[in-house]
Every structure is written in structure tokens, then in C-alpha cells.
Amino acid sequence: MGIIRRIMTIIMTVLLMTGCTSPVSISDEDVNAWMQGPTKVVVDSIGREVIIPEKPEHIATLYATTGHIVAMLDGGSKIVAVNNGLKRDKLLNELVPAIESAALTVVSGQINIETMVDKDVDLAFIPLDMFQDEKQVNQLVKMGIPY
């Protein structure tokens, strides 16, 4: 059973990282101003270096699959912001009670950045279409939320 879970985790992680790229450049000064505490650099599947908190505590999973992956990796209690798909997933809500109380931060495909800031999101997983929307990406950048 352990090997199946590991394989599924690897597959889901690869799928998650497929759309992680950035059209916006971020300076080191911006990163230092945003991040509180230790950070680390991760490289996504297309080679983009992303600076994230070493131990994110408030995660936004704005793409349903990412919520499942975070939950599988024992991070479900850190999910504070979700999309409507995760809110409707009855089984996942039963397994991960944090999702029920998480803020719905995507309405009609648009990020509600104020809610994400209110929830103190320190890492966001977003879908490819949201990533390709420069306006939405710029909101995340301005608020210092790595994605």
C-alpha cells in the first residue's frame, strides 16, 4: 500500500507542477519584503525558480487537484483558501475538515485577493488559466503571495 501512495504522490506532484510558470519578474528586494522567516527555492517542472516559505502555514489551493495533493501530503490542515470544486467535494471535506472552514477565494474564475490577504496565505497553487491572466498574477505578486 505504501508504494502505491508514493507513486500517486509523485504523479500528482508532476501534474501539479505542469502549469507553474511566471510571466512576471520579481526582484530580490520584493521577496525580502514579503517573506517572513526562512525561505527556500524550488524549481518547477518548466525550470522556473520559485521562492517559497520553508514551512508554509497558510496554503491556497485554487485548483481542485492541488487540494487533493496537499491533503495527500498531510498538509490538509494548512489549507485556508480554496476554489468551489474543493468546497463541493464531500469526501475530501470529511477527510480534511479544514476545507469546510477555508475561504472561497475564487469567484467566476477570478481571485478575491482581499480574502487571500485576510487569510494570510503564504503559498498559492493556481490553475494554468489563472496563471496566464496577467492581472491575476500581478495581484498575487503585489500582495507577496508566491504561486
Side-chain angles (χ1 to χ4, degrees), residues 34-62:
W34 298 332
M35 297 287 177
Q36 301 293 327
T39 61
K40 64 181 173 181
V41 176
V42 296
V43 178
D44 67 16
S45 64
I46 63 162
R48 181 178 76 124
E49 291 185 355
V50 184
I51 301 169
I52 64 170
E54 193 170 289
K55 295 182 180 179
E57 294 298 322
H58 305 101
I59 301 172
T61 58
L62 307 184

Side-chain angles (χ1 to χ4, degrees), residues 21 31-32 36 49 51 58 64 83 91 113 115 131 139 141:
T21 60
V31 170
N32 291 334
Q36 301 293 327
E49 291 185 355
I51 301 169
H58 305 101
N83 67 349
L91 178 59
I113 197 70
T115 303
F131 163 77
Q139 287 180 339
V141 170

Side-chain angles (χ1 to χ4, degrees), residues 50-97:
V50 184
I51 301 169
I52 64 170
E54 193 170 289
K55 295 182 180 179
E57 294 298 322
H58 305 101
I59 301 172
T61 58
L62 307 184
Y63 186 60
T65 306
T66 62
H68 293 92
I69 293 168
V70 170
M72 281 183 5
L73 298 173
D74 288 334
S77 63
K78 297 177 181 185
I79 297 174
V80 297
V82 297
N83 67 349
N84 200 32
L86 286 175
K87 284 283 190 185
R88 291 189 312 242
D89 188 325
K90 293 181 192 287
L91 178 59
L92 191 61
N93 274 268
E94 194 172 310
L95 296 171
V96 184

Side-chain angles (χ1 to χ4, degrees), residues 30 64 97 145:
D30 289 336
I145 301 172

Side-chain angles (χ1 to χ4, degrees), residues 112-133:
N112 182 330
I113 197 70
E114 293 84 9
T115 303
M116 288 184 62
V117 170
D118 184 53
K119 287 293 189 176
D120 198 25
V121 171
D122 54 9
L123 179 62
F125 294 106
I126 64 173
L128 182 59
D129 62 329
M130 195 175 286
F131 163 77
Q132 292 172 332
D133 184 336

